[in-house]
Amino acid sequence: MQHGCRHRPPESSIVSTQLTELFDSNREWARRTEQREPGFFSKLLEQQTPQYLWIGCADSRVPANELVDLLPGELFVHRNVANVVAHSDLNALSVIQFAVEGLKVQHIIVVGHSSCGGVRAALNDLRLGLVDNWIRHVKDVRCKHEALLERVAPEQRLNALCELNVLEQARNVCDTTVVQDAWARGQEVVVHGWVYGLHNGLLEDLRITAAAAEQVAPAYRAALAGIITRYHAA
Ligand SMILES: [Zn+2]
């Protein structure tokens, strides 16, 4: 009986230890990008001037640049589980500060997505481990809107909470000292809340759009009313 190669699994099922396929793809991507626009990388080396800060979910199905067809240098990105902006999260706050004060982005967009696993865990009290402590922030949103969520059809509750979470996190962005100070000195920064549909690849504006401190509360109320109408939760 022969041993060895005969029983070797087919090439595709061998686990790559060096991830050479990713390096191959990277070289090809860099070649195509430079071919399409000669000098692309040397130009980016000098400076980045993105107009947008994207705060999104870490979910692999929601790749920020691809969704809006933007190139490197055009989108400043922060992602975490369930697109949370917590007042005490130095990571998110540092990103927001650098984006607003350093890069002078004109728009900060909180982007949630339908069927978000982090939001599902918050809604259904799933125990996943350490991340449960992070998801507490989304549970806070669920608690705040408990009465509203009870009026939503059970099969729509997850997506309703995804939208409510965007609403609250966008408001948290507005309430940061960084954004409040920017508005106070007259810097143009607009905060937005969007939701991405995993089922159709489309972004939807929840219309919590604020460009000044006094716009936050009315924008929040209008966007909340929109969610209530959309989910028949009046
Ligand atoms: Zn998610």
Side-chain angles (χ1 to χ4, degrees), residues 56-62 80-83 111-120 162 198:
C57 183
D59 193 306
S60 67
R61 297 165 295 180
V62 194
N80 60 41
V81 171
N83 42 274
V111 188
H113 66 96
S114 60
S115 306
C116 179
V119 175
R120 178 180 283 115
C162 288
L198 280 186

Side-chain angles (χ1 to χ4, degrees), residues 63-120:
N65 282 65
E66 282 95 321
L67 295 191
V68 281
D69 203 16
L70 288 179
L71 291 168
E74 295 181 323
L75 194 63
F76 200 59
V77 175
H78 177 74
R79 292 168 70 183
N80 60 41
V81 171
N83 42 274
V84 167
V85 179
H87 303 304
S88 55
D89 177 10
L90 288 177
N91 187 351
L93 293 176
S94 302
V95 167
I96 294 170
Q97 183 187 12
F98 184 68
V100 171
E101 295 176 11
L103 299 171
K104 305 231 172 346
V105 298
Q106 289 160 9
H107 302 274
I108 302 175
I109 314 155
V110 176
V111 188
H113 66 96
S114 60
S115 306
C116 179
V119 175
R120 178 180 283 115

Side-chain angles (χ1 to χ4, degrees), residues 153 167 176 225:
L167 198 64
T176 58

Side-chain angles (χ1 to χ4, degrees), residues 154-168:
E155 66 276 12
Q156 291 195 311
R157 253 174 226 157
L158 172 57
N159 287 342
L161 184 53
C162 288
E163 295 187 15
L164 290 166
N165 185 47
V166 168
L167 198 64
E168 295 299 334

Side-chain angles (χ1 to χ4, degrees), residues 17-232:
T17 53
Q18 303 299 324
L19 296 178
T20 48
E21 66 276 23
L22 296 189
F23 284 93
D24 291 345
S25 302
N26 165 250
R27 270 191 298 272
E28 176 55 23
W29 171 80
R31 189 193 61 75
R32 263 188 284 115
T33 304
E34 187 66 27
Q35 192 179 43
R36 199 171 47 221
E37 194 183 326
F40 180 81
F41 292 106
S42 48
K43 222 183 303 164
L44 274 186
L45 188 62
E46 286 159 29
Q47 59 169 342
Q48 58 165 340
T49 52
Q51 290 178 36
Y52 318 98
L53 165 59
W54 171 290
I55 300 176
C57 183
D59 193 306
S60 67
R61 297 165 295 180
V62 194
N65 282 65
E66 282 95 321
L67 295 191
V68 281
D69 203 16
L70 288 179
L71 291 168
E74 295 181 323
L75 194 63
F76 200 59
V77 175
H78 177 74
R79 292 168 70 183
N80 60 41
V81 171
N83 42 274
V84 167
V85 179
H87 303 304
S88 55
D89 177 10
L90 288 177
N91 187 351
L93 293 176
S94 302
V95 167
I96 294 170
Q97 183 187 12
F98 184 68
V100 171
E101 295 176 11
L103 299 171
K104 305 231 172 346
V105 298
Q106 289 160 9
H107 302 274
I108 302 175
I109 314 155
V110 176
V111 188
H113 66 96
S114 60
S115 306
C116 179
V119 175
R120 178 180 283 115
L123 183 66
N124 299 330
D125 293 313
L126 303 180
R127 289 299 310 271
L128 302 170
L130 181 67
V131 73
D132 298 347
N133 299 286
W134 180 253
I135 287 168
R136 281 290 324 176
H137 293 299
V138 186
K139 279 199 184 183
D140 290 344
V141 176
R142 172 189 144 193
C143 289
K144 182 173 179 180
H145 296 286
E146 195 90 69
L148 188 166
L149 286 166
E150 275 172 17
R151 295 194 295 271
V152 174
E155 66 276 12
Q156 291 195 311
R157 253 174 226 157
L158 172 57
N159 287 342
L161 184 53
C162 288
E163 295 187 15
L164 290 166
N165 185 47
V166 168
L167 198 64
E168 295 299 334
Q169 307 309 335
R171 185 164 196 170
N172 285 348
V173 172
C174 295
D175 290 342
T176 58
T177 51
V178 176
V179 172
Q180 289 286 325
D181 289 350
W183 283 338
R185 63 176 175 264
Q187 187 178 336
E188 282 181 23
V189 186
V190 187
V191 178
H192 310 257
W194 297 353
V195 70
Y196 172 75
L198 280 186
H199 61 290
N200 62 5
L202 295 176
L203 288 164
E204 196 182 332
D205 188 352
L206 297 180
R207 298 184 186 282
I208 173 162
T209 308
E214 64 273 16
Q215 293 175 10
V216 178
Y220 176 91
R221 279 196 298 271
L224 184 59
I227 293 174
I228 290 171
T229 304
R230 203 156 40 253
Y231 289 92
H232 310 290

